[in-house]
Amino acid sequence: LRARVATVRVKGKSTFVVLREDSLYTVQACKFKDKEDGGESATAVSRFFKSIPLESIVDLCGVLAEANVSSCTQSNVELQIKRVFCVCRAAAQLPFLMADAQRSEEEIVASQGSKRPFVRVLPDLRLDHRWLDLRVPAHNAILRIQSAVCSLFRESL
């Protein structure tokens, strides 16, 4: 599987990674401590994912396993990581995080009274970095619908 790294969570010798493909589809990949190698492969995988920035492109080899993953679009399976390679490393510091760009205005306003309010991504920043903003699933879906409507018009003419 070739996809972008959306989120990484490391807990002990367990690693959970959400991978995003085509800006719309997400799947969880995980690596747990193996009894066969004493956890060395799990440690190596966790170090690998800690070292690469989010939005990097990775090739992942693994085995599909049934799971209940509510945070991904592929909610009934997850990938058990066997090998992983970095194809293209993203910039270490992105202009904004995808999680910040995906939040609604209501969520941002509701968080203003808390200890850690959410960041608001302003329109001028979004336009200056449109290549990153188009990876937000809602914005990508709008452009896909627009493209489909334009294709239908071209077919009918």
Side-chain angles (χ1 to χ4, degrees):
L1 172 71
R2 180 171 285 184
R4 292 188 182 274
V5 177
T7 61
V8 176
R9 291 184 321 269
V10 177
K11 295 186 179 188
K13 290 194 177 185
S14 300
T15 305
F16 299 91
V17 182
V18 175
L19 301 169
R20 188 180 63 251
E21 188 176 30
D22 294 333
S23 296
L24 292 178
Y25 308 107
T26 56
V27 65
Q28 178 174 287
C30 58
K31 179 68 175 177
F32 300 110
K33 179 179 175 180
D34 281 337
K35 293 178 184 175
E36 297 152 1
D37 65 0
E40 290 179 22
S41 63
T43 304
V45 167
S46 66
R47 268 190 271 129
F48 172 79
F49 279 111
K50 283 181 183 178
S51 70
I52 64 171
L54 296 179
E55 297 300 313
S56 295
I57 299 174
V58 295
D59 275 347
L60 190 134
C61 298
V63 178
L64 278 178
E66 282 193 41
N68 186 11
V69 183
S70 59
S71 62
C72 296
T73 59
Q74 302 298 319
S75 59
N76 56 350
V77 294
E78 70 181 4
L79 281 166
Q80 303 288 330
I81 300 171
K82 298 296 180 193
R83 292 180 311 196
V84 63
F85 307 97
C86 184
V87 176
C88 183
R89 184 178 290 269
Q93 185 68 34
L94 294 173
F96 55 86
L97 297 175
M98 295 299 293
D100 294 335
Q102 291 176 5
R103 288 193 185 96
S104 67
E105 187 63 27
E106 292 80 23
E107 289 177 299
I108 295 169
V109 169
S111 74
Q112 294 304 313
S114 67
K115 288 184 179 180
R116 297 186 68 192
F118 292 137
V119 175
R120 179 177 280 121
V121 181
L122 299 174
D124 59 337
L125 183 63
R126 287 182 187 266
L127 290 173
D128 288 344
H129 304 284
R130 192 71 174 147
W131 56 272
L132 186 59
D133 190 44
L134 289 177
R135 294 182 195 165
V136 174
H139 301 163
N140 192 285
I142 289 169
L143 286 179
R144 287 176 186 256
I145 291 170
Q146 180 182 357
S147 174
V149 169
C150 289
S151 294
L152 287 173
F153 273 114
R154 281 193 296 271
E155 287 175 10
S156 66
L157 294 177

